[in-house]
Amino acid sequence: MTQASLVERLTLCGTAPDSEISALAKEAGLARLVAVLVDEVLFRCDAPVNTTPVHVALEVLHGGEEHRTVLWMAAGEPVRVVDGDVDPPTIRRHLRISLTDLVRRLYGPLRPQHSGDFTDVFLPNRPADLSELRGILEATHQAGGTLLSGCTAEGPGLGPLSVKYGSDKWASFHWYTQHYEKHFAAYRDRPVRVLEIGIGGYEGDLGGPSLKMWKRYFHRGLVYGLDLFDKSALNQDRLTALTGDQGNAETLREVAEKYGPFDIIIDDGSHENEHVRVSFDALFPYVRPGGLYVIEDLQTAYWPRFGGTSGPVTGPDTSVGLLKRLQDDLHYREFDPKPGEPTLTQSEVIGVHTYHNIAFIEKGVNGETSIPAWMDDEAWKALGAITPEEGRAKGDAR
Ligand SMILES: C[S@@+](CC[C@H](N)C(=O)[O-])C[C@H]1O[C@@H](n2cnc3c(N)ncnc32)[C@H](O)[C@@H]1O
């Protein structure tokens, strides 16, 4: 079983019966499964705050087997797995949980904080030097909290996550995360596939802040990024960095055929208006029904050097022009004369939500009926309505 398919199956196990988790453990082996879970826990963990370093053990039980992972926790360092033997008395805390409970904590639905599935063995051994007791006690308490922060689907909101990972989607030039929270909340518990065009980073920094933010937010999600530059060194479970030019429709279709369809696509790439249109046209067919296509940085619709229009009214070839076209598509049944066969966007765009510099396009079945053509003035009158002319005359008379 490849690592990618193991991880994908695990994300689906969050809502599957115990028997599926057992079958996966049998197929992959408990040690391999626990290694994936521990990586996920470490990705989610808050930074340690304990200034006295401690060892904490995470013990996963399944089918009479126990798999222990010893973690080193110290403020200022990332939590890490200790390879090799550790002198058991120096393990200050043992947090023990069944495999099924841990899988559900990580990939199951969001739920309020709880502790009814862990067995906690706190300071099982008397420290040799009691002058260290206070520091060890405090550190053991803090380190347990750090580990538990990683053993849950819950986490900070998107604003704090964007700051944590270094994305500019909040509290910078942009204030996008409030809109993302509103539109993404319904997808948070689902095993979504998310593609973001534009991974970010600069000389000496590989980037990927928003991909990490999506990975943490969508606790069951598979996150893909696409960038002109090779950023595959970012690859980890549930996060894949792909290389390609968003101005090339063929490349985009190849990516979507291989990794899609996607529940959510976000365009945060070059922001050149032509690229925004090419990407939308190529990728919107690969958004799942019920999914979303997001376009960031609409300001470039007003910037000529990005192919935008100067002045207050944007042209049809800009990103804002595209959104206007989609508004019309949404209303194609109201056209007079009536159109022929609807286009893809006429039949599948069901909502266009525009905020300052960001838009969310909803995909679904644009199947609502229109008022039939035979509803003439006579028919409206039969319902007690007045004609626009009668309404205006009444208004003028007042
Ligand atoms: C604004 S950054 C993305 C920031 C990131 N999404 C975040 O929120 O942290 C834009 C990225 O788009 C990439 N890019 C520029 N032109 C591109 C193109 N034609 N195709 C794909 N990626 C492109 C750049 O290399 C850069 O990494």
Side-chain angles (χ1 to χ4, degrees):
M1 194 183 333
T2 65
Q3 182 72 0
S5 61
L6 169 62
V7 171
E8 184 170 7
R9 277 179 64 183
L10 255 180
T11 63
L12 299 174
C13 276
T15 48
D18 288 2
S19 55
E20 267 185 51
I21 300 172
S22 296
L24 192 56
K26 197 166 173 195
E27 226 178 298
L30 184 61
R32 186 171 172 208
L33 213 53
V34 170
V36 174
L37 297 175
V38 168
D39 276 351
E40 187 69 49
V41 169
L42 298 195
F43 174 75
R44 295 184 192 191
C45 267
D46 293 339
V49 290
N50 51 298
T51 46
T52 302
V54 282
H55 287 123
V56 174
L58 176 64
E59 292 158 355
V60 181
L61 313 173
H62 184 70
E65 262 188 88
E66 176 186 306
H67 196 282
R68 173 182 292 174
T69 308
V70 180
L71 302 166
W72 169 259
M73 297 211 191
E77 298 176 37
V79 183
R80 65 179 162 78
V81 175
V82 180
D83 294 326
D85 286 343
V86 177
D87 186 16
T90 69
I91 301 176
R92 304 300 186 189
R93 194 164 192 170
H94 299 252
L95 281 163
R96 201 167 288 153
I97 189 167
S98 75
L99 176 71
T100 47
D101 282 337
L102 185 57
V103 168
R104 289 201 203 301
R105 271 184 164 259
L106 295 175
Y107 307 110
L110 295 164
R111 53 183 174 164
Q113 265 210 335
H114 62 291
S115 60
D117 46 9
F118 271 107
T119 301
D120 185 15
V121 183
F122 190 98
L123 278 182
N125 298 292
R126 193 175 202 256
D129 179 356
L130 284 184
S131 70
E132 294 175 350
L133 180 59
R134 184 179 297 282
I136 290 173
L137 196 67
E138 188 182 70
T140 304
H141 173 201
Q142 292 169 328
T146 301
L147 178 54
L148 289 171
S149 74
C151 294
T152 175
E154 276 75 24
L158 281 173
L161 281 180
S162 87
V163 174
K164 174 176 176 180
Y165 293 118
S167 168
D168 68 352
K169 293 193 194 305
W170 185 64
S172 71
F173 292 126
H174 308 304
W175 292 90
Y176 295 150
T177 55
Q178 56 191 324
H179 309 302
Y180 277 121
E181 291 276 8
K182 180 171 157 187
H183 289 277
F184 284 4
Y187 301 86
R188 196 168 179 184
D189 258 350
R190 301 193 208 158
V192 287
R193 272 174 194 261
V194 179
L195 169 68
E196 181 165 22
I197 303 170
I199 296 178
Y202 44 84
E203 195 77 36
D205 172 16
L206 256 184
S210 52
L211 301 184
K212 292 175 191 158
M213 165 177 138
W214 302 131
K215 174 175 164 175
R216 180 65 187 91
Y217 181 79
F218 293 114
H219 58 278
R220 311 178 70 193
L222 302 181
V223 177
Y224 300 88
L226 177 81
D227 205 281
L228 263 188
F229 300 97
D230 178 4
K231 291 172 184 280
S232 54
L234 286 170
N235 288 357
Q236 51 187 266
D237 290 347
R238 302 203 295 116
L239 191 163
T240 308
L242 308 165
T243 311
D245 178 0
Q246 77 168 125
N248 184 328
E250 200 40 50
T251 303
L252 297 177
R253 278 192 281 270
E254 277 167 22
V255 163
E257 284 290 334
K258 187 160 180 197
Y259 300 100
F262 301 101
D263 300 273
I264 291 172
I265 297 180
I266 301 157
D267 181 350
D268 185 21
S270 71
H271 306 304
E272 285 194 39
N273 285 272
E274 188 191 340
H275 288 175
V276 172
R277 278 186 291 112
V278 167
S279 301
F280 178 81
D281 290 342
L283 293 175
F284 189 69
Y286 294 94
V287 175
R288 281 205 182 108
L292 291 172
Y293 192 101
V294 186
I295 304 175
E296 287 192 8
D297 288 36
L298 299 175
Q299 71 275 5
T300 63
Y302 303 86
W303 294 359
R305 76 196 169 87
F306 281 71
T309 317
S310 58
V313 182
T314 52
D317 291 340
T318 65
S319 54
V320 172
L322 166 68
L323 297 170
K324 286 186 212 163
R325 198 241 299 160
L326 297 179
Q327 302 265 15
D328 286 331
D329 285 349
L330 185 56
H331 296 97
Y332 79 96
R333 281 194 179 78
E334 320 306 330
F335 295 177
D336 184 14
K338 293 287 171 206
E341 267 304 289
T343 62
L344 177 89
T345 44
Q346 285 173 341
S347 50
E348 296 190 357
V349 169
I350 59 165
V352 183
H353 310 265
T354 308
Y355 305 91
H356 181 232
N357 287 342
I358 186 167
F360 294 76
I361 299 146
E362 275 184 90
K363 182 165 176 172
V365 177
N366 183 18
E368 290 179 20
T369 188
S370 181
I371 295 170
W374 57 258
M375 280 294 292
D376 52 13
D377 283 355
E378 201 187 344
W380 282 114
K381 267 205 158 81
L383 295 177
I386 57 171
T387 64
E389 292 75 24
E390 287 168 339
R392 280 194 287 271
K394 206 164 178 60
D396 289 346
R398 273 219 189 105

